[in-house]
């Protein structure tokens, strides 16, 4: 049977493995057992030597490369990373999980792109590993892990609020008694067996709870505990000097992760065609469509709020950071394209706030709360300032369509020739910017 720590590296068993590992100076030492197991993993594709992790540190980088490719590479090949589903290297896997948590904690914010990448990929890895197990083994290991995760003998529904917020699980799908989630079969039978007189309680358990719900809850709880673990390490690192090898790894990850992501996310405005592609870059006011130009110049009291908060905020942020949003099927956050938020702070927000000051009367003079709404529309929650740790509390709002602008802000919609055949101001900006880029440069 697969070990508990193969699914939950934060388990008691996982902590014992870390204690036994010993000196972190061994991270770069070649590990013959690891190499052999990787090479002989079923379905593993070894097309060249670089695919084989030869040390614990190699395995850590391969783990991050897998997370990036799995999420971004449209030609992702699972056979090149099949060794990550090999439970024979569970001890090595547990070590690199903890090592990566520590390196990420001291180098990145807990809500950063890099931390999210690692935490989310851990959830994916758990589900893929569970899928590899036989039904009997999977059921046994899930029950053992859930029993260990329980606090005071139960799992509170409130601990799953983040899972429920993702809409992958509905509160109505859970069986809850006195605030505790009923997941195990014996708990279900003790509480509900007498309620079923014309059908089997065991069958009703499989229908109402079932393995899929338990697997989802398990993976999300471990993701949540991983995030909490990283946060604890970050706090501890302020008081305790971290091991030099962890510091070194964290600095290497700072270079490695953006470099790997950049291979797949180029942040272009379109997929080609008559107007080619428009790359993200400095905002060009000369390319603003009429509605945006009118908003920047100032809006009278009638439509100030919607013009600044709904129209300009989404337009300016996407035009500057990710103009290809409508040609992409990716879910993007601001920090994915502006990791340290310097562009957002120094270019996007000043443009929006200047436009707010140009309103009649200035928007924030009588409605200062609209600053919070602007931050919210960028995806950083209901706060007065952007903070990476708040990202994801709300959604990065996409630009309004021309149709909505005509309905809600007709005073700003003054179409010119550049608007012909366009259904969104962001598309208009992309076309105008492309045309401006094609014009010969004036000699100074």
């Amino acid at each position: 049977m697969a070990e508990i720590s193969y699914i939950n590296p934060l388990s008691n068993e996982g902590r014992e493995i870390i204690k036994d590992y010993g000196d972190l100076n061994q991270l770069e030492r070649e590990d013959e057992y690891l190499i052999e197991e990787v090479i002989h993993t079923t379905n593993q594709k070894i097309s060249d030597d670089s695919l084989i992790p030869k040390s614990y540190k190699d395995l850590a980088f391969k783990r991050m490369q897998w997370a990036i490719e799995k999420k971004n590479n449209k030609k992702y090949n699972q056979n090149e990373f099949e060794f990550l589903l090999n439970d024979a290297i569970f001890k090595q896997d547990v070590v690199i999980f903890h090592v990566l948590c520590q390196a990420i904690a001291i180098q990145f914010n807990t809500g950063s792109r890099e931390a999210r990448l690692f935490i989310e990929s851990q959830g994916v890895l758990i589900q893929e590993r569970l899928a590899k197990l036989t039904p009997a083994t999977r059921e046994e290991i899930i029950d053992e892990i859930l029993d260990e995760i329980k606090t005071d003998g139960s799992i509170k529904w409130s601990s799953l609020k983040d899972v429920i917020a993702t809409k992958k699980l509905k509160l109505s799908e859970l069986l809850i008694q006195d605030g505790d989630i009923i997941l195990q079969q014996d708990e279900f039978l003790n509480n509900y067996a007498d309620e079923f007189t014309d059908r089997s309680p065991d069958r009703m358990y499989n229908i109402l709870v079932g393995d899929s719900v338990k697997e989802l809850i398990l993976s999300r709880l471990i993701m949540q505990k991983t995030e909490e673990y990283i946060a604890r390490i970050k706090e501890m690192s302020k008081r305790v000097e971290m091991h030099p090898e962890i510091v070194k790894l964290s600095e290497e990850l700072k270079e490695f992760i953006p470099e790997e992501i950049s291979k797949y996310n180029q942040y272009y405005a379109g997929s080609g065609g008559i107007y080619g592609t428009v790359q993200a870059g400095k905002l060009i006011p000369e390319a603003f469509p009429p509605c945006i130009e009118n908003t920047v110049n100032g809006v009278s009291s009638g439509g100030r709020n919607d013009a600044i908060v709904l129209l300009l905020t989404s337009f300016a942020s996407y035009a500057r950071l990710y103009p290809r949003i409508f040609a992409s099927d990716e879910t993007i956050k601001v920090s994915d394209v502006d990791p340290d938020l310097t562009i957002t702070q120094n270019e996007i927000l000043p443009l929006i706030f200047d436009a707010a000051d140009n309103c009649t009367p200035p928007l924030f003079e009588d409605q200062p709360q609209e600053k919070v709404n602007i931050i919210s529309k960028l995806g950083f929650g209901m706060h007065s300032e952007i903070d990476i740790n708040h990202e994801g509390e709300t959604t990065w709002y996409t630009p309004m369509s021309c149709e909505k602008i005509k309905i809600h802000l007709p005073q700003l919609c003054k179409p010119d020739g550049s608007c012909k055949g366009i259904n969104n101001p962001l598309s208009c900006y992309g076309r105008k910017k492309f045309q401006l880029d094609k014009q010969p440069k004036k000699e100074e």
Side-chain angles (χ1 to χ4, degrees):
M1 180 181 133
E3 302 294 335
I4 294 292
S5 55
Y6 171 64
I7 304 298
N8 181 19
L10 290 167
S11 62
N12 293 330
E13 177 186 279
R15 287 194 287 271
E16 289 301 317
I17 290 172
I18 294 300
K19 287 180 183 177
D20 293 341
Y21 177 66
D23 189 1
L24 286 171
N25 290 315
Q26 302 176 70
L27 283 177
E28 296 187 54
R29 186 178 301 168
E30 191 168 290
D31 188 304
E32 291 184 7
Y33 176 82
L34 174 63
I35 295 170
E36 282 298 308
E37 286 298 331
V38 168
I39 291 173
H40 293 102
T41 297
T42 304
N43 296 326
Q44 179 65 42
K45 180 182 177 182
I46 307 293
S47 57
D48 64 75
D49 197 53
S50 67
L51 295 174
I52 306 171
K54 299 176 178 62
S55 66
Y56 281 71
K57 189 170 184 178
D58 280 352
L59 185 60
F61 279 101
K62 287 295 181 184
R63 168 73 169 74
M64 294 308 300
Q65 184 185 359
W66 165 80
I68 293 165
E69 292 208 19
K70 181 82 171 177
K71 183 176 182 180
N72 299 285
N73 187 0
K74 296 186 185 301
K75 297 181 179 179
Y76 167 76
N77 185 355
Q78 172 62 31
N79 291 339
E80 293 182 355
F81 297 96
E82 195 67 26
F83 60 85
L84 291 174
L85 305 181
N86 183 350
D87 60 4
I89 60 170
F90 77 95
K91 289 185 178 180
Q92 289 83 351
D93 179 77
V94 169
V95 172
I96 66 113
F97 169 87
H98 285 267
V99 165
L100 282 170
C101 282
Q102 293 176 43
I104 287 169
I106 64 173
Q107 185 63 243
F108 309 104
N109 289 318
T110 52
S112 67
R113 168 185 62 176
E114 292 80 4
R116 289 200 315 270
L117 173 72
F118 178 71
I119 293 166
E120 290 170 5
S121 67
Q122 186 63 27
V124 173
L125 197 56
I126 288 168
Q127 291 183 317
E128 291 192 358
R129 288 175 174 176
L130 287 172
K132 282 276 189 178
L133 303 177
T134 64
T137 300
R138 183 164 62 246
E139 183 178 354
E140 184 177 348
I141 204 166
I142 287 174
D143 287 344
E144 284 193 41
I145 293 173
L146 286 174
D147 282 340
E148 188 175 305
I149 288 177
K150 286 180 179 180
T151 302
D152 298 326
S154 65
I155 296 176
K156 300 292 182 183
W157 75 266
S158 55
S159 66
L160 292 174
K161 61 182 184 298
D162 291 337
V163 188
I164 294 166
T166 66
K167 298 183 180 179
K168 291 185 176 180
L169 182 69
K170 295 178 181 177
L171 195 58
S172 59
E173 294 175 336
L174 299 176
L175 291 175
I176 302 173
Q177 178 127 13
D178 299 326
D180 300 338
I181 302 172
I182 303 296
L183 288 177
Q184 307 294 36
Q185 189 167 9
D186 57 349
E187 293 176 303
F188 178 86
L189 295 176
N190 288 337
N191 284 281
Y192 301 109
D194 295 340
E195 303 292 329
F196 306 104
T197 57
D198 58 344
R199 61 188 72 184
S200 165
D202 293 301
R203 176 172 168 72
M204 291 308 300
Y205 168 77
N206 291 328
I207 293 172
L208 295 173
V209 180
D211 292 337
S212 60
V213 171
K214 290 165 69 174
E215 286 179 27
L216 178 59
I217 289 174
L218 173 68
S219 66
R220 295 292 159 166
L221 283 174
I222 294 175
M223 286 170 61
Q224 185 173 306
K225 288 185 176 297
T226 300
E227 184 175 1
E228 293 168 358
Y229 178 50
I230 290 173
R232 288 199 304 272
I233 295 169
K234 190 167 192 68
E235 187 61 32
M236 182 186 69
S237 67
K238 297 175 183 177
R239 305 184 303 273
V240 179
E241 187 174 351
M242 300 298 288
H243 193 285
E245 288 299 318
I246 297 294
V247 175
K248 181 181 176 183
L249 176 61
S250 75
E251 292 170 349
E252 291 173 353
L253 287 174
K254 187 178 180 180
E255 300 293 327
F256 177 80
I257 294 175
E259 184 178 327
E260 286 296 306
I261 290 177
S262 69
K263 294 177 181 178
Y264 309 108
N265 290 346
Q266 298 300 318
Y267 308 112
Y268 289 107
S271 55
I274 187 170
Y275 294 109
T277 57
V278 181
Q279 190 173 7
K282 294 280 187 179
L283 288 169
I284 309 296
E286 293 82 5
F288 287 172
C291 57
I292 299 300
E293 185 177 357
N294 293 333
T295 301
V296 170
N297 290 335
V299 182
S300 60
S301 58
R304 291 179 305 159
N305 305 61
D306 285 353
I308 300 299
V309 177
L310 298 181
L311 175 59
L312 183 60
T313 298
S314 57
F315 170 85
S317 55
Y318 277 101
R320 176 62 182 90
L321 297 174
Y322 195 62
R324 74 182 296 268
I325 179 60
F326 295 121
S328 167
D329 58 0
E330 296 175 284
T331 300
I332 292 293
K333 294 183 180 180
V334 168
S335 67
D336 288 334
V337 282
D338 183 18
D340 57 7
L341 304 182
T342 54
I343 296 173
T344 306
Q345 290 275 24
N346 300 329
E347 298 180 39
I348 297 169
L349 286 176
L351 172 68
I352 297 167
F353 292 165
D354 284 348
D357 287 340
N358 290 338
C359 290
T360 306
L363 180 61
F364 301 141
E365 279 190 6
D366 60 337
Q367 300 196 48
Q369 77 280 0
E370 292 295 13
K371 273 195 176 182
V372 173
N373 287 330
I374 289 168
I375 301 303
S376 171
K377 293 299 182 286
L378 291 171
F380 293 90
M382 301 299 290
H383 304 280
S384 58
E385 296 181 356
I386 59 170
D387 183 329
I388 192 70
N389 293 309
H390 296 148
E391 191 173 27
E393 292 180 10
T394 50
T395 301
W396 186 7
Y397 197 83
T398 50
M400 297 174 72
S401 67
C402 293
E403 192 62 33
K404 286 187 176 180
I405 296 170
K406 288 176 185 177
I407 295 171
H408 299 290
L409 296 166
Q411 74 276 26
L412 297 177
C413 185
K414 308 295 181 184
D416 61 14
S418 67
C419 299
K420 186 176 180 180
I422 291 294
N423 59 16
N424 191 282
L426 187 60
S427 302
C428 182
Y429 173 76
R431 180 161 73 181
K432 291 180 75 171
K433 185 174 183 293
F434 176 83
Q435 292 168 338
L436 288 171
D437 289 342
K438 288 294 183 181
Q439 292 179 0
K441 305 294 182 185
K442 293 182 180 180
E443 293 185 6
E444 296 183 358

